[in-house]
Amino acid sequence: MNISEFERQKPRKTHKTITNLIKKYKKIIIDMPIMDDDDAIRVEMAADFAKELENLKKTFEKGE
């Protein structure tokens, strides 16, 4: 498969899903009030998920 064929068939749904998940977790980071330790843990986990998804998105976009 040549590069133009890959570009034409690129999995756009997967890319959009990753992008939407990043937005979802960033929204949790911004909007969730931290009232106790459980809330802090949720926000920290959301930050970790967003970071990992951003790394996944970069790898995906490079085609690795």
Side-chain angles (χ1 to χ4, degrees):
M1 175 185 312
N2 63 35
I3 192 69
S4 61
E5 184 68 17
F6 172 78
E7 288 296 320
R8 193 171 64 78
Q9 296 180 3
K10 199 183 300 186
R12 290 178 177 86
K13 277 185 161 181
T14 304
H15 188 269
K16 185 174 181 168
T17 301
I18 293 170
T19 302
N20 288 340
L21 286 170
I22 292 169
K23 288 178 186 177
K24 172 186 171 181
Y25 288 115
K26 285 186 175 184
K27 184 173 178 1
I28 291 170
I29 296 164
I30 293 168
D31 293 344
M32 183 171 225
I34 300 176
M35 304 296 263
D36 58 16
D37 288 343
D38 287 339
D39 293 339
I41 290 169
R42 285 185 185 102
V43 170
E44 186 177 345
M45 288 178 66
D48 288 344
F49 292 153
K51 183 178 178 182
E52 292 295 324
L53 286 166
E54 286 172 349
N55 290 337
L56 175 64
K57 184 178 176 183
K58 287 178 187 174
T59 302
F60 179 80
E61 289 172 344
K62 288 180 185 176
E64 297 179 334

